Structures are given as structure tokens and as C-alpha cells.
Amino acid sequence: MEFNAPAGSNLFDTARIVGRPTPRVDGALKTTGQAPYAYERHDVAPDQLVGFPLGAAIATGRILSMDTSAALAAPGVVDIVTTLDMDALPKSSWNVAHLFGGDVVEHYHQAIAVVVAESFEQARAAAHLIRVEYEADTDATFDLGAAWQDVAEGDTDPVARVGDFEAAFAAAPVQLDETYHTPGHSHAMMEPHATIARWEDGKLTVWTSNQMINWMRGAIATTFGMDEADVRVDSPYVGGGFGAKLFVRSDTIMAALAARKTGRAVKVMLPRPFVMNNTTHRAATIQRIRIGATEDGRITAIAHEDLSNTLPGGRGENSTDQTRVFYAGDNRLITRRLAEMHLPEANAMRAPGEASGLMALEIAMDEMAERLGMDPVEFRAVNDTQVDPEDPERPFSDRHFVEALQAGAEAFGWADRNTTPGGMRDGPWLIGHGMAGAYRGGPATTSGARVRLQPDGRLIVETDMTDIGTGSYTIIAQVAAEVMGLELDQVEVRLGDSDYPVSAGSGGQWGAVSSTSGTYAACVALRGELARRLGNGDAETLEFANGAVRTPDKQVPYAEIAADGEIVAEETMTFGDFRGQHVVATFAAHFVEVGVHAATGEIRVRRMLGACDAGRILNPVTARSQVIGGMVMGVGAALMEEIAVDTGRGFFANHDLAGYEVPVHADIPQQEVIFLDTSDAVSSPLKAKGVGELGLCGVAAAVANAVYNATGLRIRDYPVTLDKMIDRLPAV
């Protein structure tokens, strides 16, 4: 089924289930500990062994030798697989770093061995007995700041150039030219990467934690030189991913290698330091932003250039992407640079690009509004655009950013904000108010599903879509129930198995819009099959409601039609080229109030509000959960999250949840979310868009702007911590 034209009036416009607040259908399983997560699946294979990984102790160089004799002799050890046992294994194009094999070390904590034992404790103890001799590359550098100085002196071809930025900027009566720093971030999800692997008759099954089942299946087949048909991936529940589980990682490769060598199922979970140093992270960035405007606040020139770290062959963090389309301006310049470093792999993390880019851009917009003497909300509204600034013939499909600004400002009480930096107090606390705009693209991609109508009238939905905490189980059940005229408890959803039809998977804010479209397509196919069985070739003339098909002269229950056996329909939704003729995106306005202690510099978020424009909201309960979770992550990015790079040795020093700080309940006292009542007919048949990453975008800048408003001190180097301002706070 192809979505090849904007959606017209359809059943979702008058829905009884889609769009209604609905508790998670999988909530009881999760809250009672019955949801099966990867490492805890003790029942899927008998006699499971446990593998514990060993990581490289250098950032780059070669392994000269590995002595495993003491480890092999340790109690309970069954076998050991080392990287020197094989050449470097092939890797998927999705992966930048090699995952296992060979003597070359590309980054610290690269997996170089897995010890297999009868228990976790035995495997862990033995792993520390392996002796490794290295030849380290002593010329490697790991300092992004030093790299910025180098590239700033050279020429780089721009990614995009519109008009004459240099001339327009020079002529602008109001100018801004500032540089901003964002550190590396770790996904720090609750569930580490984990896999149980078993070989049987030359075929491999992995029970794992992964966001993109089909990508992972293909990557495993590539690494082991197998047909994809001989690989099964099963991941029904994922305890958080944020992009770290988009691709196959070393836990799966080591588990599969160990299972093949021992002839038994092997389970491997990455220790937390491995999660942070061995998998992926959001790259650090340095960003220079220049804005020129007329005295009435209209942007005439805007330039955004960035630098981020990456392993050779990687893409780093594209923090400039949103600047190309978010605000108007006739003269534009976008430049990207990469600094190749042998740090752990930089790759996608929730809202890749926009999260880091808006941390800088939305401070710059705040600074520009101050120089113009304008309300920051008004300045953004004045520079709204309904077309792509680089291609004015390409409109936005549906953009209500100004309405989000207005709705958020009114609900937050923006008119009563502190208007003088450092000018409002509550006892010892300096009170500040800040806001920021948010932009995140609204992609959709091919997604399939299979529906099985049971003889008792129930419906089973099967798709390899994943639920990473986002609510996939629930919204897919809602769509199936809506299209087939069933109640929610008559629909069972099965996810995360490569034996099911290929879906969009979870990532990039495309999961909800794509997977629900695929479910809709499968249900339409089932309606067609039911119509055929009733001798009516046109399902559009029939009504599907209350578990039955209604024709002009009769009503036939589904159970009667399927009395002789289940009826199966399968379909895939593809998205036509017409969608690319528009900019499909989501928007928000975030507002924050903070208190900064006048004596200690301690920063406390007091309240937050986000007003979101994201098309039809499929389920306000799960959508709100996504947005407030993103807002929490934004507070972390603003005030505490930072990968500490040892620039001498090339590793992340704070590689656990004790050293890498994330927000806790006490950091988030009050959150409010507003969803605008909009729909986007270009986005999907449901007129919906994703919202899972929008809640993060812009939040960190809103917090940083609020801290400035409280103190009068502008911090352009994240995270905004008290050490960066305590010596400049007003005298107590």
C-alpha cells in the first residue's frame, strides 16, 4: 500500500480509540516484572553459559600478545574467545567501529576477549586474569578544542550557501558572533546491551535488546557470512535505547562467537563502563553562530558552523541541520567539519543533530533578542517561515510554531516573567525565566505488519517493530482496534521478532508514524479479505464495527467469518515521493523557571512547560510520557551531563552512573505539556507525526537562558554548572 497523496477525510478524523488517553497495554507486565528483557530470558535456551567481556586498555594501536592461561585455569571457566583468534570480522555499513577480531585497536574498551563460564562471577573474575601486551599509538590526539583551532584556520566547503552571507552580515545593524560548546553525552539507558545467543543446525538465534530488528539481522548476517534467513532476532522489550541500540553491538557478536565455540547458549551483558566506552555516544561539538538582523528584528543573515569528533569514517554530530530550515533569513551559510579521533564511536543519540544544535542556536536567538531589545518569544515569531528558507518553493507540510509559542507563553505566564537579568529574588534564590524554540524533523519510512483474525473474533498484530519504552504496543493496538471496529482488549500485539514483517523500527522519531501506518495497511488488507469472503468486492461500502461486518442488509460477526480457521492478511505501507516535496517536521516552545542560590550558585529547576505541534496525537498518555522524558533529558544536558574525556589517554573517565550524572526525581519538580490540536495530511494516513525526540530539543537552551535571566551571567559552555559562575555572582 502506498501513501502517495495527502490524506483526505478518513476514519481517524472521528476516531473513538485513536487519539484518546489510553494506559499502556503492556504496563502491568512491566510493573510486575513479567516483561521479558534480554538478559533475564532464562527460559529461551537450556544450560546457558555466561560471557564476560574484556576491553582494550589503550585508545589506538595494536595487540602484540594475549596470555589466557591463568584465566582458562580459573574455576568455572569453560572457554575463552579472543580477538587474536580471527581476522577483523566484517561489519555492517551502519557500524563505524569494528566490533571484534584482529590485532588493531581503534578505541579504548574495544572488545578483545570474552570469557565464558558457568556463572557471571566466575567469568568476571577470570577476565581480569588475561594478560595483554600492546603497542600503543603515542601520536594520537583527543582534544576537540585543539582541533577547533586547527580547522578554524583552514577553508571548508560549505554544506549550504544561500545569497551573500558575508555582505549581509557586515551590513546588518545588529549582529551576533559567538561560539558555543556542547560536551559528549552518553545514552545512559537503564538496561545495558545484552544478548543470549544459540546456534542450532547452522542457524543463529539471538534474544537481545535492539531498536531496529531488520538492521540488526542484516548486520549479523554480514558479520558471520550467513544468509539473513538463517538469523533470527527476538527483542520484544527494550529497557531504553536512545539510539545506542540502533545497530548491532559487541555483546551480540561476542555471545554468538562464544556460543558457536562452546556449543551451548551464551549470554553476554555489557558492564556499564562498556556501555559508555565500547558502544556509542553523542559527539561533543564546538559551534560558531553568526546572526545579523534589522533593527525591527528580522534576520537578514545567519551562519552556523560546527566541529565534532568521530572515528575515521564516521559522521560525528550534525548540529547545523535545524538551522537550515527553522528560521527565515535570505542570506545563509552552513559549514560542517569533522575531527577524526580514536575516541569511542560517535553515533546517533536521541534527536541526533538537533539536540546539540539547538543547545547553541537557541542561546544565540536569546542573545540576539536581548541585543534587539525584543521579547524572545516575539523575536522567534517574527522570524517564522512557512517555506524552506533554502528552497522557497518547498513549503512546510503543516507548521504551527508561532501558535506553540503563543500557547506556551500564555500557559506559563510569560508576561509576568523577570525581565531584568538578576532582578528577581525569592529569599536567597535568584529567579530566572527562559524559553527556547524546538524543531525536529518528522520522517516516515516503509513499515509492514501482519494481522491474524482468530475464530473467536480476536485480532493478533505481528510486526518486528520495537517498543523501547515509547508505547508502541499501545498505539499499534489502538490503530488496529480502530480500523477493525474492535475493543482494545480484543487486540493482541506481538513485536520485536524478525519472523514478523519488517517494520520501520524505533529511531529518528519515525517509529510511531510509520508502524501505525503499516498496521493500518494490514488492517485495510484484512477488511478487503473479509469483504471478498462475503461476496462484496468493495470493502469501502461496508462498515466494520462491534466485531462484525455490516452490509446494507445484514451483520456478520468476525467469529462467524473466521469459524473455519484464522484469517491472515499482511501488508506494507510505503511513502510516496510527494512527501519529499514538503518539509515535514515537528515544533515546540519550551519555557523554564529556575532558581540560582545567590551564595552557592546551586541551580534548581522550579517548573517547566512545553507546547508541542506534532500533528495528530495518537495517545496523549504515551505522547506526554515521551515529551516529559525528553524534558528531563534536556535538564540533564543543561546542568550536569558531560562525558569527561581523558585527552591524554583517549577514554571516557566517568564511565558509570556514579560519575556520569543524570537528573533524578528531586531535580524535576513540575512539568506541563500542551499539545496543539493539529493534523498533518502530508505526514501519514493518520495525519500524525512522531513526538519522541521533540521533547528533548531546545530544552537545554531554555534552562541555560533561564540561568542567565536569573544571574545576568551568560554561559556558552555546557553543562551550566556553578563553578563557571560562582566567582561572578552578585555579592551576598
Side-chain angles (χ1 to χ4, degrees):
M1 186 177 188
E2 184 179 33
F3 181 58
N4 54 19
S9 178
N10 61 32
L11 61 91
F12 300 109
D13 297 329
T14 56
R16 62 187 182 90
I17 297 176
V18 169
R20 301 292 184 264
T22 305
R24 295 172 186 264
V25 299
D26 55 332
L29 289 176
K30 290 183 174 180
T31 55
T32 58
Q34 297 178 77
Y37 290 90
Y39 198 71
E40 302 161 352
R41 301 189 70 178
H42 313 298
D43 59 326
V44 295
D47 302 321
Q48 295 176 17
L49 295 169
V50 179
F52 191 89
L54 179 68
I58 61 172
T60 177
R62 292 177 57 245
I63 297 172
L64 300 179
S65 65
M66 299 181 71
D67 182 355
T68 62
S69 56
L72 280 168
V77 171
V78 175
D79 215 328
I80 298 174
V81 181
T82 81
T83 189
L84 298 183
D85 294 343
M86 64 203 76
D87 294 333
L89 294 174
K91 63 182 177 70
S92 162
S93 59
W94 298 113
N95 294 88
V96 180
H98 281 89
L99 299 179
F100 204 83
D103 63 351
V104 175
V105 176
E106 295 180 328
H107 63 87
Y108 180 80
H109 258 173
Q110 177 177 311
I112 61 172
V114 58
V115 177
V116 185
E118 296 291 346
S119 74
F120 171 82
E121 291 79 8
Q122 290 170 333
R124 180 178 59 181
H128 296 305
L129 300 177
I130 298 175
R131 296 292 172 255
V132 185
E133 183 181 0
Y134 300 97
E135 181 181 75
D137 178 1
T138 57
D139 295 328
T141 60
F142 311 100
D143 189 340
L144 192 66
W148 174 257
Q149 297 302 318
D150 293 340
V151 300
E153 299 171 0
D155 294 327
T156 302
D157 292 334
V159 173
R161 178 185 285 277
V162 177
D164 188 339
F165 166 78
E166 290 81 3
F169 182 72
V174 183
Q175 300 175 345
L176 175 134
D177 184 350
E178 296 291 353
T179 300
Y180 307 85
H181 298 249
T182 68
H185 289 155
S186 175
H187 304 78
M189 60 280 170
M190 186 178 297
E191 179 200 26
H193 299 72
T195 297
I196 300 171
R198 182 180 67 180
W199 294 84
E200 194 169 17
D201 298 327
K203 297 183 178 182
L204 173 64
T205 300
V206 296
W207 295 270
T208 190
S209 183
N210 189 266
Q211 299 172 227
M212 303 289 297
I213 301 302
N214 194 51
W215 288 7
M216 188 179 200
R217 186 187 200 185
I220 293 171
T222 295
T223 296
F224 289 98
M226 304 169 62
D227 291 335
E228 287 191 26
D230 292 333
V231 178
R232 181 182 170 221
V233 177
D234 189 25
S235 182
Y237 290 92
V238 180
F242 307 121
K245 298 174 182 174
L246 285 171
F247 320 118
V248 66
R249 306 308 318 176
S250 64
D251 60 301
T252 304
I253 304 307
M254 287 188 287
L257 288 169
R260 186 167 65 181
K261 187 172 184 182
T262 62
R264 289 169 61 182
V266 174
K267 61 194 307 179
V268 173
M269 179 176 66
L270 298 185
R272 188 63 65 174
F274 252 68
V275 172
M276 295 184 169
N277 273 301
N278 173 265
T279 64
T280 65
H281 70 287
R282 189 195 305 281
T285 73
I286 300 176
Q287 306 174 48
R288 180 189 182 193
I289 297 177
R290 289 172 284 173
I291 303 174
T294 59
E295 293 181 351
D296 63 356
R298 298 194 179 276
I299 295 173
T300 57
I302 184 166
H304 193 164
E305 55 188 292
D306 82 341
L307 174 72
S308 63
N309 61 275
T310 179
L311 279 171
R315 294 171 294 181
E317 179 82 355
N318 180 7
S319 62
T320 64
D321 222 24
Q322 73 289 320
T323 308
R324 300 179 66 174
V325 292
F326 197 9
Y327 295 113
D330 291 338
N331 301 280
R332 318 176 71 83
L333 179 64
I334 304 294
T335 304
R336 288 204 65 215
R337 300 181 178 94
L338 295 173
E340 292 191 345
M341 298 180 181
H342 283 275
L343 290 171
E345 180 175 332
N347 214 314
M349 181 171 164
R350 193 176 192 176
E354 285 96 334
S356 296
L358 288 164
M359 289 171 74
L361 177 63
E362 289 301 300
I363 290 184
M365 291 294 287
D366 203 66
E367 294 193 72
M368 196 67 182
E370 184 178 45
R371 296 184 187 195
L372 288 159
M374 292 180 70
D375 179 338
V377 171
E378 178 190 3
F379 177 53
R380 287 168 173 83
V382 164
N383 290 286
D384 186 51
T385 176
Q386 292 296 316
V387 299
D388 181 347
E390 294 181 9
D391 181 7
E393 299 300 315
R394 185 173 175 240
F396 281 87
S397 58
D398 192 65
R399 174 172 171 144
H400 301 276
F401 178 49
V402 172
E403 291 90 330
L405 289 167
Q406 294 168 340
E410 181 177 356
F412 185 77
W414 183 249
D416 300 323
R417 73 193 184 280
N418 174 41
T419 56
T420 303
M424 182 180 287
R425 281 206 182 218
D426 179 9
W429 296 92
L430 301 167
I431 306 304
H433 302 96
M435 61 82 51
Y439 170 96
R440 178 65 173 145
T445 188
T446 300
S447 195
R450 180 188 303 128
V451 289
R452 298 179 178 275
L453 183 62
Q454 301 301 292
D456 61 1
R458 293 182 307 109
L459 188 72
I460 298 171
V461 184
E462 297 174 337
T463 170
D464 80 357
M465 179 61 185
T466 49
D467 192 321
I468 60 175
T470 45
S472 302
Y473 278 103
T474 307
I475 59 173
I476 288 173
Q478 287 177 270
V479 170
E482 190 74 58
V483 180
M484 296 309 302
L486 295 167
E487 298 304 319
L488 202 61
D489 61 6
Q490 294 176 286
V491 178
E492 176 188 347
V493 178
R494 299 172 179 173
L495 300 181
D497 192 326
S498 60
D499 285 348
Y500 300 154
V502 176
S503 74
S506 298
Q509 199 170 261
W510 64 64
V513 62
S514 305
S515 63
T516 54
S517 296
T519 301
Y520 165 70
C523 289
V524 169
L526 178 60
R527 285 166 57 140
E529 176 60 20
L530 296 180
R532 186 190 67 79
R533 293 192 180 207
L534 292 176
N536 188 321
D538 186 5
E540 294 298 319
T541 65
L542 305 177
E543 183 180 358
F544 297 80
N546 300 317
V549 181
R550 292 178 183 172
T551 70
D553 56 354
K554 61 181 176 179
Q555 176 172 307
V556 186
Y558 293 157
E560 182 178 325
I561 306 173
D564 293 335
E566 69 172 2
I567 301 172
V568 181
E570 182 176 328
E571 184 58 277
T572 295
M573 179 67 75
T574 60
F575 292 84
D577 294 340
F578 89 96
R579 207 175 182 276
Q581 298 168 9
H582 305 77
V583 183
V584 183
T586 60
F587 310 89
H590 290 288
F591 296 82
V592 175
E593 178 179 297
V594 303
V596 180
H597 198 281
T600 67
E602 177 187 0
I603 303 167
R604 285 289 179 188
V605 173
R606 294 160 68 106
R607 60 190 179 102
M608 310 173 70
L609 181 144
C612 302
D613 167 32
R616 172 168 288 136
I617 300 302
L618 301 175
N619 183 347
V621 171
T622 54
R624 179 183 182 275
S625 177
Q626 284 295 283
V627 173
I628 64 173
M631 292 163 73
V632 171
M633 189 175 279
V635 171
L639 300 181
M640 59 196 75
E641 292 191 43
E642 175 183 19
I643 287 177
V645 180
D646 185 322
T647 57
R649 298 175 179 84
F651 74 98
F652 301 154
N654 56 337
H655 49 214
D656 54 38
L657 293 181
Y660 184 86
E661 297 181 8
V662 298
V664 297
H665 286 85
D667 295 313
I668 314 292
Q670 180 181 335
Q671 293 176 293
E672 185 178 350
V673 179
I674 298 170
F675 291 116
L676 300 190
D677 183 15
T678 63
S679 62
D680 192 333
V682 172
S683 179
S684 80
L686 286 77
K687 305 177 185 176
K689 292 183 278 198
V691 74
E693 299 184 338
L694 181 65
L696 166 61
C697 295
V699 172
V703 175
N705 291 336
V707 171
Y708 167 75
N709 182 254
T711 63
L713 303 176
R714 181 69 73 180
I715 308 299
R716 302 183 183 91
D717 182 5
Y718 288 97
V720 180
T721 48
L722 61 87
D723 58 295
K724 296 173 182 175
M725 59 184 180
I726 193 168
D727 59 338
R728 295 183 289 152
L729 285 171
V732 178

